[in-house]
Coordinates of all heavy atoms in Angstrom, one line a residue:
M1 N 0.9 -1.2 0.0 CA 0.0 0.0 0.0 C 0.9 1.2 0.0 O 1.8 1.5 0.8 CB -0.9 0.0 1.2 CG -1.8 1.1 1.3 SD -2.5 0.8 3.0 CE -4.2 1.0 2.6
S2 N 0.8 2.1 -1.0 CA 1.5 3.3 -1.1 C 0.9 4.5 -0.4 O -0.2 4.7 -0.4 CB 1.7 3.6 -2.6 OG 2.4 4.8 -2.8
N3 N 1.9 5.2 0.2 CA 1.5 6.5 1.0 C 1.6 7.7 0.0 O 2.8 8.1 -0.3 CB 2.3 6.6 2.2 CG 1.9 7.8 3.0 OD1 1.2 8.6 2.5 ND2 2.3 7.7 4.3
P4 N 0.6 8.3 -0.4 CA 0.7 9.5 -1.4 C 1.5 10.6 -0.9 O 2.2 11.2 -1.6 CB -0.7 9.9 -1.6 CG -1.7 8.8 -1.0 CD -0.9 8.0 0.0
E5 N 1.4 10.9 0.5 CA 2.1 11.9 1.1 C 3.6 11.8 1.0 O 4.4 12.5 0.7 CB 1.6 12.2 2.5 CG 0.4 12.8 2.6 CD -0.1 13.1 4.0 OE1 0.8 13.2 4.9 OE2 -1.2 13.1 4.3
A6 N 4.0 10.5 1.3 CA 5.4 10.1 1.3 C 5.9 10.1 -0.2 O 7.1 10.6 -0.4 CB 5.6 8.6 1.9
D7 N 5.1 9.6 -1.1 CA 5.5 9.7 -2.5 C 5.8 11.1 -3.0 O 6.7 11.4 -3.7 CB 4.5 9.0 -3.5 CG 4.4 7.5 -3.1 OD1 5.5 7.0 -2.7 OD2 3.4 7.0 -3.5
D8 N 5.0 12.1 -2.6 CA 5.1 13.6 -2.9 C 6.3 14.1 -2.3 O 7.0 14.8 -2.9 CB 3.8 14.2 -2.4 CG 2.6 14.1 -3.2 OD1 2.7 13.5 -4.4 OD2 1.5 14.3 -2.8
S9 N 6.6 13.7 -1.0 CA 7.7 14.3 -0.3 C 9.1 13.7 -1.0 O 9.9 14.4 -1.2 CB 7.7 13.7 1.1 OG 8.9 14.1 1.8
L10 N 9.0 12.4 -1.5 CA 10.3 11.9 -2.2 C 10.4 12.6 -3.5 O 11.6 12.9 -4.0 CB 10.1 10.4 -2.3 CG 10.4 9.6 -1.1 CD1 10.1 8.1 -1.5 CD2 11.8 9.8 -0.6
A11 N 9.3 12.9 -4.1 CA 9.4 13.6 -5.6 C 9.9 15.0 -5.4 O 10.6 15.5 -6.2 CB 7.9 13.5 -6.2
R12 N 9.6 15.8 -4.3 CA 10.0 17.0 -4.0 C 11.6 17.0 -3.6 O 12.2 18.1 -3.8 CB 9.2 17.8 -3.0 CG 7.8 18.2 -3.7 CD 6.9 18.9 -2.7 NE 6.2 17.9 -2.0 CZ 6.1 18.0 -0.7 NH1 6.4 19.0 0.0 NH2 5.4 17.1 0.0
N13 N 12.1 16.1 -2.8 CA 13.4 16.0 -2.4 C 14.3 15.5 -3.3 O 14.0 14.5 -4.1 CB 13.5 15.3 -1.1 CG 12.8 15.9 0.1 OD1 12.6 17.1 0.1 ND2 12.1 15.2 1.0
E14 N 15.5 16.1 -3.5 CA 16.5 15.6 -4.4 C 17.3 14.4 -3.6 O 17.6 14.4 -2.5 CB 17.4 16.7 -4.6 CG 18.6 16.4 -5.5 CD 19.5 17.6 -5.7 OE1 19.2 18.6 -5.2 OE2 20.6 17.3 -6.5
I15 N 17.4 13.4 -4.5 CA 18.1 12.2 -4.0 C 19.6 12.4 -4.3 O 20.0 12.6 -5.4 CB 17.6 10.9 -4.7 CG1 16.2 10.7 -4.5 CG2 18.4 9.7 -4.2 CD1 15.6 10.5 -3.1
L16 N 20.4 12.4 -3.2 CA 21.9 12.7 -3.3 C 22.6 11.4 -3.1 O 22.4 10.5 -2.2 CB 22.3 13.7 -2.3 CG 21.6 15.1 -2.4 CD1 22.1 16.0 -1.3 CD2 21.9 15.7 -3.7
T17 N 23.8 11.3 -3.9 CA 24.6 10.2 -3.6 C 25.5 10.5 -2.3 O 25.6 11.6 -1.9 CB 25.6 9.9 -4.8 OG1 26.4 11.1 -4.9 CG2 24.9 9.7 -6.1
D18 N 26.3 9.5 -1.8 CA 27.1 9.8 -0.7 C 28.1 10.9 -0.8 O 28.2 11.8 -0.1 CB 27.8 8.5 -0.3 CG 26.8 7.4 0.4 OD1 25.7 7.8 0.7 OD2 27.3 6.2 0.5
N19 N 28.7 10.8 -2.0 CA 29.7 11.8 -2.4 C 29.2 13.2 -2.5 O 29.7 14.2 -2.1 CB 30.3 11.5 -3.8 CG 31.4 10.3 -3.6 OD1 31.8 10.2 -2.6 ND2 31.6 9.7 -4.7
E20 N 27.9 13.3 -3.0 CA 27.2 14.6 -3.2 C 26.8 15.1 -1.7 O 26.9 16.3 -1.5 CB 26.0 14.5 -3.9 CG 26.3 14.3 -5.4 CD 25.0 13.9 -6.3 OE1 24.1 13.4 -5.7 OE2 25.0 14.3 -7.5
I21 N 26.4 14.3 -0.9 CA 26.1 14.6 0.5 C 27.4 15.2 1.2 O 27.4 16.3 1.8 CB 25.6 13.5 1.3 CG1 24.1 13.1 0.8 CG2 25.5 13.9 2.8 CD1 23.6 11.8 1.4
I22 N 28.5 14.4 1.0 CA 29.7 15.0 1.6 C 30.2 16.2 1.1 O 30.6 17.2 1.8 CB 31.0 13.8 1.4 CG1 30.7 12.5 2.2 CG2 32.4 14.4 1.8 CD1 31.4 11.4 1.8
R23 N 30.2 16.4 -0.2 CA 30.4 17.8 -0.9 C 29.6 18.9 -0.3 O 30.0 20.0 0.0 CB 30.3 17.7 -2.3 CG 31.6 17.2 -3.0 CD 31.6 17.4 -4.5 NE 30.4 16.7 -5.1 CZ 30.4 15.6 -5.8 NH1 31.5 15.0 -5.8 NH2 29.4 15.1 -6.3
T24 N 28.3 18.6 -0.2 CA 27.2 19.7 0.3 C 27.7 20.0 1.8 O 27.8 21.2 2.1 CB 25.9 19.1 0.3 OG1 25.6 18.7 -1.1 CG2 24.9 20.0 0.8
V25 N 27.9 19.0 2.6 CA 28.2 19.3 4.0 C 29.7 20.0 4.1 O 29.8 21.0 5.0 CB 28.3 18.1 4.9 CG1 28.8 18.2 6.3 CG2 26.9 17.4 4.9
T26 N 30.6 19.6 3.3 CA 31.9 20.2 3.3 C 31.8 21.7 2.9 O 32.4 22.6 3.5 CB 32.9 19.5 2.4 OG1 32.9 18.1 2.8 CG2 34.3 20.1 2.5
A27 N 31.0 22.0 1.9 CA 30.8 23.3 1.4 C 30.1 24.2 2.5 O 30.5 25.3 2.7 CB 30.0 23.4 0.1
E28 N 29.3 23.7 3.2 CA 28.6 24.4 4.4 C 29.5 24.7 5.4 O 29.6 25.8 5.9 CB 27.3 23.6 4.8 CG 26.1 23.5 3.9 CD 25.1 22.6 4.4 OE1 25.2 22.0 5.5 OE2 24.1 22.5 3.8
D29 N 30.4 23.7 5.7 CA 31.4 24.0 6.8 C 32.4 25.2 6.3 O 32.9 25.9 7.1 CB 32.3 22.7 7.0 CG 31.4 21.8 7.8 OD1 30.4 22.1 8.3 OD2 31.9 20.6 7.8
D30 N 32.8 25.3 5.0 CA 33.6 26.3 4.5 C 33.0 27.7 4.6 O 33.8 28.6 4.7 CB 34.0 26.1 3.0 CG 34.9 24.9 2.8 OD1 35.4 24.4 3.8 OD2 35.0 24.3 1.6
D31 N 31.7 27.8 4.7 CA 31.2 29.0 4.9 C 31.4 29.7 6.3 O 31.3 30.9 6.4 CB 29.6 28.9 4.7 CG 29.2 28.6 3.3 OD1 30.1 28.8 2.4 OD2 28.1 28.2 3.1
D32 N 31.7 28.8 7.3 CA 32.0 29.4 8.6 C 33.3 30.1 8.7 O 33.6 30.8 9.5 CB 32.1 28.2 9.6 CG 30.8 27.5 9.8 OD1 29.7 28.2 9.4 OD2 30.7 26.4 10.2
D33 N 34.2 30.0 7.6 CA 35.5 30.7 7.6 C 35.3 32.2 7.5 O 36.2 33.0 7.8 CB 36.4 30.2 6.4 CG 36.7 28.7 6.7 OD1 36.7 28.3 7.8 OD2 37.1 28.1 5.7
D34 N 34.2 32.7 7.0 CA 33.9 34.2 6.7 C 33.4 34.8 8.1 O 33.1 36.0 8.0 CB 33.0 34.3 5.6 CG 33.5 33.6 4.3 OD1 34.7 33.6 4.2 OD2 32.7 33.3 3.4
V35 N 33.3 34.1 9.1 CA 32.8 34.8 10.4 C 33.7 35.8 10.9 O 35.0 35.5 11.0 CB 32.5 33.6 11.4 CG1 32.0 34.2 12.7 CG2 31.4 32.7 10.9
T36 N 33.3 36.9 11.2 CA 34.1 38.0 11.9 C 34.2 37.6 13.3 O 33.3 37.3 14.0 CB 33.4 39.3 11.6 OG1 33.2 39.6 10.3 CG2 34.3 40.5 12.2
P37 N 35.5 37.9 13.8 CA 35.6 37.6 15.4 C 34.7 38.6 16.1 O 34.4 39.7 15.7 CB 37.0 38.0 15.6 CG 37.7 38.2 14.3 CD 36.7 38.3 13.2
L38 N 34.1 38.1 17.3 CA 33.3 38.8 18.0 C 33.8 40.1 18.6 O 33.1 41.1 18.8 CB 32.8 38.0 19.3 CG 31.9 36.7 18.9 CD1 31.4 35.9 20.1 CD2 30.6 37.2 18.1
N39 N 35.1 40.1 19.1 CA 35.8 41.3 19.6 C 36.9 41.6 18.9 O 38.1 41.4 19.4 CB 36.0 41.0 21.1 CG 36.3 42.2 21.9 OD1 36.3 43.4 21.4 ND2 36.8 42.1 23.2
P40 N 36.9 42.3 17.8 CA 38.1 42.6 17.0 C 38.9 43.7 17.7 O 40.1 44.1 17.3 CB 37.6 43.1 15.6 CG 36.3 43.4 15.9 CD 35.7 42.7 17.0
V41 N 38.3 44.4 18.6 CA 39.0 45.6 19.3 C 39.9 45.1 20.3 O 39.4 44.3 21.1 CB 37.8 46.5 19.9 CG1 38.6 47.7 20.7 CG2 36.9 47.1 18.8
K42 N 41.1 45.6 20.3 CA 42.1 45.1 21.4 C 41.8 46.0 22.6 O 41.8 47.2 22.6 CB 43.5 45.5 20.8 CG 44.6 45.0 21.5 CD 45.1 43.7 21.1 CE 46.4 43.3 21.8 NZ 46.5 41.9 22.1
I43 N 41.8 45.3 23.7 CA 41.6 45.9 25.1 C 43.0 46.2 25.7 O 43.8 45.3 25.7 CB 40.8 45.1 26.0 CG1 39.4 44.8 25.3 CG2 40.6 45.7 27.4 CD1 38.5 43.9 26.0
S44 N 43.2 47.4 26.1 CA 44.5 47.8 26.6 C 44.6 47.2 28.1 O 43.7 46.8 28.8 CB 44.7 49.3 26.7 OG 43.9 49.9 27.6
H45 N 45.9 47.1 28.6 CA 46.1 46.8 29.9 C 45.5 47.7 30.8 O 44.9 47.3 32.0 CB 47.7 46.6 30.1 CG 48.4 45.6 29.3 ND1 47.9 44.4 29.0 CD2 49.5 45.9 28.6 CE1 48.8 43.9 28.2 NE2 49.6 44.6 27.9
S46 N 45.6 49.0 30.6 CA 44.9 50.0 31.5 C 43.4 49.8 31.6 O 42.8 49.9 32.6 CB 45.2 51.4 30.9 OG 46.6 51.6 31.0
E47 N 42.8 49.5 30.4 CA 41.4 49.2 30.5 C 41.0 48.0 31.3 O 40.1 48.0 32.0 CB 40.8 49.1 29.0 CG 40.8 50.4 28.3 CD 40.4 50.1 26.9 OE1 41.1 49.2 26.2 OE2 39.6 50.9 26.2
A48 N 41.9 47.0 31.2 CA 41.6 45.7 31.9 C 41.8 45.9 33.4 O 40.9 45.5 34.2 CB 42.5 44.7 31.4
V49 N 42.8 46.8 33.8 CA 43.0 47.1 35.2 C 41.7 47.8 35.7 O 41.2 47.5 36.8 CB 44.3 47.9 35.4 CG1 44.3 48.4 36.8 CG2 45.5 47.0 35.1
A50 N 41.2 48.8 35.0 CA 40.0 49.6 35.4 C 38.9 48.7 35.5 O 38.1 48.8 36.5 CB 39.8 50.7 34.4
A51 N 38.6 47.8 34.6 CA 37.4 46.9 34.6 C 37.5 46.0 35.8 O 36.6 45.8 36.5 CB 37.4 46.2 33.3
L52 N 38.8 45.5 36.0 CA 38.9 44.5 37.2 C 38.8 45.3 38.5 O 38.3 44.8 39.5 CB 40.2 43.8 37.1 CG 40.2 42.7 35.9 CD1 41.7 42.4 35.6 CD2 39.3 41.5 36.2
N53 N 39.3 46.5 38.5 CA 39.0 47.3 39.8 C 37.5 47.5 40.0 O 37.0 47.4 41.2 CB 39.7 48.7 39.8 CG 41.2 48.5 40.2 OD1 41.6 47.7 40.9 ND2 42.0 49.4 39.5
T54 N 36.8 47.8 39.0 CA 35.4 48.1 39.2 C 34.6 46.7 39.6 O 33.8 46.8 40.5 CB 34.7 48.4 37.7 OG1 35.3 49.7 37.4 CG2 33.2 48.7 37.8
S55 N 35.1 45.6 39.0 CA 34.6 44.3 39.4 C 34.9 44.0 40.8 O 34.0 43.5 41.5 CB 35.2 43.1 38.5 OG 34.8 43.4 37.2
L56 N 36.1 44.3 41.4 CA 36.4 44.1 42.8 C 35.6 44.9 43.7 O 35.1 44.5 44.7 CB 37.9 44.3 43.0 CG 38.8 43.2 42.7 CD1 40.2 43.6 42.5 CD2 38.6 42.1 43.7
Q57 N 35.3 46.2 43.3 CA 34.6 47.1 44.0 C 33.2 46.6 44.1 O 32.6 46.5 45.2 CB 34.6 48.5 43.5 CG 33.8 49.5 44.3 CD 33.8 50.9 43.6 OE1 34.5 51.2 42.6 NE2 33.0 51.8 44.2
W58 N 32.6 46.1 43.0 CA 31.2 45.6 43.1 C 31.2 44.3 44.0 O 30.3 44.2 44.8 CB 30.8 45.2 41.7 CG 29.5 44.5 41.6 CD1 28.3 45.0 41.7 CD2 29.3 43.0 41.6 NE1 27.3 44.0 41.5 CE2 27.9 42.7 41.5 CE3 30.3 42.0 41.4 CZ2 27.5 41.5 41.4 CZ3 29.7 40.7 41.4 CH2 28.3 40.5 41.5
A59 N 32.2 43.4 43.8 CA 32.2 42.2 44.6 C 32.2 42.5 46.2 O 31.6 41.8 46.9 CB 33.3 41.3 44.2
E60 N 33.0 43.5 46.4 CA 33.2 43.9 47.9 C 31.9 44.6 48.3 O 31.5 44.3 49.5 CB 34.4 44.8 48.0 CG 35.6 44.1 47.9 CD 36.8 45.1 47.8 OE1 36.7 46.4 47.9 OE2 38.0 44.6 47.7
E61 N 31.2 45.3 47.6 CA 29.8 45.9 48.0 C 28.8 44.8 48.2 O 27.9 44.9 48.9 CB 29.4 46.9 46.8 CG 30.2 48.1 46.8 CD 29.8 49.0 45.6 OE1 28.9 48.7 44.8 OE2 30.4 50.1 45.5
Q62 N 29.1 43.7 47.5 CA 27.9 42.5 47.6 C 28.5 41.6 48.7 O 27.8 40.6 48.9 CB 27.9 41.8 46.3 CG 27.6 42.6 45.0 CD 26.4 43.4 45.3 OE1 25.2 42.8 45.7 NE2 26.3 44.7 44.9
N63 N 29.5 42.0 49.5 CA 29.9 41.2 50.5 C 30.5 39.8 50.1 O 30.2 38.8 50.9 CB 28.9 41.1 51.7 CG 28.7 42.5 52.2 OD1 29.5 43.3 52.5 ND2 27.3 42.8 52.5
F64 N 31.2 39.7 49.0 CA 31.8 38.5 48.7 C 32.8 38.1 49.6 O 33.5 39.0 50.2 CB 32.3 38.7 47.2 CG 31.4 38.4 46.2 CD1 30.0 38.9 46.3 CD2 31.7 37.9 44.9 CE1 29.1 38.8 45.3 CE2 30.8 37.7 43.9 CZ 29.4 38.3 44.0
E65 N 33.0 36.8 49.9 CA 34.1 36.5 50.8 C 35.4 36.7 50.1 O 35.6 36.7 48.9 CB 33.9 35.1 51.2 CG 32.7 34.9 52.1 CD 32.6 33.4 52.6 OE1 33.6 32.7 52.8 OE2 31.4 33.2 52.9
A66 N 36.5 36.8 50.9 CA 37.9 37.1 50.4 C 38.3 36.0 49.3 O 38.9 36.4 48.3 CB 38.8 37.1 51.5
H67 N 38.0 34.8 49.6 CA 38.4 33.7 48.7 C 37.7 33.8 47.3 O 38.3 33.4 46.4 CB 38.2 32.3 49.3 CG 36.9 31.9 49.3 ND1 36.1 32.2 50.5 CD2 36.2 31.1 48.4 CE1 34.9 31.6 50.2 NE2 34.8 31.0 49.1
E68 N 36.5 34.4 47.3 CA 35.8 34.6 46.0 C 36.5 35.8 45.2 O 36.3 35.8 44.0 CB 34.3 34.9 46.3 CG 33.6 33.7 47.0 CD 32.3 34.0 47.3 OE1 32.1 35.0 48.1 OE2 31.2 33.3 46.9
N69 N 37.0 36.7 46.0 CA 37.6 38.0 45.3 C 39.0 37.6 44.7 O 39.6 38.4 43.9 CB 37.7 39.1 46.2 CG 36.3 39.7 46.5 OD1 35.3 39.4 45.8 ND2 36.1 40.3 47.6
M70 N 39.6 36.7 45.3 CA 41.0 36.4 45.0 C 41.4 36.3 43.4 O 42.3 36.7 42.8 CB 41.6 35.2 45.7 CG 41.9 35.4 47.2 SD 43.0 36.9 47.4 CE 44.4 36.3 46.7
P71 N 40.6 35.4 42.6 CA 40.8 35.3 41.2 C 40.8 36.8 40.6 O 41.6 37.0 39.7 CB 39.7 34.4 40.7 CG 39.3 33.7 41.9 CD 39.4 34.6 43.0
L72 N 39.8 37.7 40.9 CA 39.8 39.0 40.4 C 41.1 39.8 40.7 O 41.5 40.4 39.9 CB 38.6 39.7 40.9 CG 37.3 39.3 40.3 CD1 36.0 40.0 41.0 CD2 37.1 39.4 38.9
R73 N 41.4 39.6 42.0 CA 42.7 40.3 42.4 C 43.9 39.9 41.6 O 44.7 40.7 41.3 CB 42.9 40.1 43.9 CG 41.9 40.9 44.8 CD 42.3 40.8 46.3 NE 41.2 41.2 47.1 CZ 41.0 42.5 47.3 NH1 41.6 43.4 46.7 NH2 39.9 43.0 48.1
R74 N 44.0 38.6 41.4 CA 45.1 38.0 40.6 C 45.1 38.5 39.2 O 46.2 38.9 38.7 CB 45.1 36.5 40.8 CG 45.5 35.9 42.1 CD 45.6 34.4 42.0 NE 45.9 33.9 43.3 CZ 45.2 33.0 43.9 NH1 44.1 32.6 43.3 NH2 45.3 32.6 45.1
L75 N 43.9 38.5 38.6 CA 43.8 39.1 37.2 C 44.2 40.6 37.1 O 44.9 40.9 36.2 CB 42.5 38.9 36.7 CG 42.2 37.4 36.2 CD1 40.5 37.4 35.9 CD2 42.9 37.1 35.0
R76 N 43.6 41.3 38.2 CA 44.0 42.7 38.2 C 45.4 42.9 38.3 O 46.1 43.8 37.7 CB 43.2 43.3 39.3 CG 43.3 44.8 39.3 CD 43.9 45.6 40.4 NE 44.4 44.9 41.6 CZ 43.9 45.0 42.8 NH1 42.9 45.9 43.0 NH2 44.3 44.3 43.8
D77 N 46.1 42.2 39.3 CA 47.6 42.3 39.5 C 48.3 42.0 38.2 O 49.3 42.7 37.9 CB 48.0 41.5 40.7 CG 47.4 42.0 42.0 OD1 46.9 43.1 42.1 OD2 47.5 41.2 43.0
R78 N 47.9 40.9 37.5 CA 48.6 40.5 36.3 C 48.5 41.5 35.2 O 49.4 41.9 34.5 CB 48.1 39.1 35.9 CG 48.8 38.6 34.7 CD 50.3 38.2 34.9 NE 50.8 37.7 33.7 CZ 51.9 38.2 33.1 NH1 52.6 39.1 33.7 NH2 52.3 37.7 32.0
A79 N 47.3 42.1 35.1 CA 47.0 43.1 34.1 C 47.9 44.3 34.4 O 48.5 44.9 33.5 CB 45.5 43.5 34.1
F80 N 47.9 44.6 35.7 CA 48.8 45.9 36.1 C 50.2 45.6 35.8 O 51.0 46.4 35.2 CB 48.7 46.2 37.7 CG 49.3 47.3 38.0 CD1 48.9 48.6 37.9 CD2 50.6 47.1 38.8 CE1 49.6 49.7 38.2 CE2 51.2 48.4 39.3 CZ 50.7 49.6 39.0
E81 N 50.8 44.4 36.1 CA 52.1 43.9 35.7 C 52.5 44.1 34.2 O 53.6 44.6 33.8 CB 52.5 42.5 36.1 CG 52.5 42.4 37.6 CD 52.6 41.0 38.0 OE1 52.7 40.0 37.1 OE2 52.6 40.6 39.2
L82 N 51.4 43.7 33.4 CA 51.6 43.8 31.9 C 51.6 45.2 31.6 O 52.4 45.7 30.7 CB 50.4 43.0 31.3 CG 50.5 41.5 31.4 CD1 49.2 40.9 30.8 CD2 51.8 41.0 30.6
K83 N 50.8 46.1 32.3 CA 50.7 47.5 31.9 C 52.1 48.3 32.2 O 52.6 48.9 31.3 CB 49.6 48.2 32.7 CG 49.6 49.7 32.6 CD 48.4 50.3 33.6 CE 48.8 51.8 33.6 NZ 47.8 52.3 34.6
I84 N 52.6 47.8 33.4 CA 54.0 48.4 33.8 C 55.0 47.9 32.8 O 55.9 48.6 32.4 CB 54.3 48.0 35.2 CG1 53.3 48.6 36.2 CG2 55.6 48.4 35.6 CD1 53.2 50.1 36.2
G85 N 55.0 46.7 32.4 CA 55.9 46.1 31.5 C 55.9 46.8 30.2 O 57.0 47.1 29.5
T86 N 54.7 47.1 29.7 CA 54.6 47.8 28.3 C 55.0 49.3 28.4 O 55.9 49.7 27.6 CB 53.0 47.8 28.0 OG1 52.6 46.4 28.0 CG2 52.9 48.5 26.7
T87 N 54.9 49.9 29.6 CA 55.3 51.3 29.8 C 56.8 51.3 29.8 O 57.4 52.2 29.2 CB 54.7 51.8 31.1 OG1 53.3 51.8 31.0 CG2 55.1 53.2 31.3
A88 N 57.3 50.3 30.6 CA 58.9 50.3 30.7 C 59.4 50.0 29.4 O 60.5 50.6 29.0 CB 59.2 49.2 31.8
Q89 N 58.8 49.2 28.5 CA 59.4 48.8 27.2 C 59.3 50.1 26.3 O 60.2 50.4 25.6 CB 58.6 47.7 26.5 CG 59.1 47.3 25.2 CD 60.6 46.7 25.2 OE1 60.8 46.0 26.1 NE2 61.2 47.1 24.3
K90 N 58.3 50.9 26.4 CA 58.2 52.1 25.6 C 59.4 53.0 26.1 O 59.8 53.8 25.2 CB 56.8 52.7 25.7 CG 55.7 52.0 25.0 CD 54.3 52.6 25.3 CE 53.3 51.8 24.6 NZ 51.9 52.4 24.9
I91 N 59.6 53.2 27.3 CA 60.6 54.1 27.7 C 61.9 53.7 27.3 O 62.8 54.5 26.8 CB 60.6 54.3 29.3 CG1 59.3 55.0 29.7 CG2 61.8 55.0 29.9 CD1 59.0 54.9 31.2
T92 N 62.2 52.4 27.3 CA 63.5 51.9 26.9 C 63.6 52.1 25.5 O 64.7 52.4 25.0 CB 63.5 50.4 27.2 OG1 63.3 50.1 28.6 CG2 64.9 49.7 26.8
D93 N 62.5 51.9 24.7 CA 62.7 52.2 23.2 C 62.8 53.5 22.9 O 63.5 53.9 21.9 CB 61.3 51.6 22.5 CG 61.0 50.2 22.5 OD1 62.1 49.4 22.8 OD2 59.9 49.7 22.3
F94 N 62.3 54.4 23.7 CA 62.5 55.9 23.5 C 63.8 56.3 23.7 O 64.4 57.1 22.9 CB 61.5 56.6 24.4 CG 61.7 58.2 24.3 CD1 61.1 58.7 23.2 CD2 62.4 58.9 25.2 CE1 61.2 60.2 23.1 CE2 62.4 60.3 25.1 CZ 61.9 61.0 24.0
F95 N 64.6 55.7 24.7 CA 65.9 56.3 25.0 C 66.9 55.3 24.3 O 68.1 55.7 24.3 CB 66.1 56.1 26.5 CG 65.5 57.3 27.3 CD1 64.5 57.0 28.1 CD2 65.9 58.6 27.1 CE1 63.8 58.0 28.8 CE2 65.3 59.6 27.8 CZ 64.2 59.3 28.7
G96 N 66.5 54.3 23.5 CA 67.4 53.6 22.8 C 68.2 52.6 23.5 O 69.3 52.2 23.0
H97 N 67.9 52.2 24.6 CA 68.7 51.3 25.3 C 68.4 49.8 25.1 O 67.3 49.4 24.9 CB 68.6 51.5 26.9 CG 69.3 52.7 27.3 ND1 68.6 54.0 27.4 CD2 70.5 53.0 27.6 CE1 69.5 54.9 27.8 NE2 70.7 54.3 27.9

């Protein structure tokens, strides 16, 4: 017994070979290469330090415990070190040492 709806569905859909399916899927994957990065803007060390200071202030206002703030403090301290290192490098480049 034939199902007329199924026959219509098959007639409307293209029957692909295995190789055609692979080519179609591969071509769809290649389209993902054109995606623009979400954050193309470079964040400076100074901006990171400021943002982390704001985050720490907020966490302290919310009465977070010290161990909960430690990761933020470490990130802030590391961003500050990077900021200082960048500044020192610019001074060295300026004086030619």
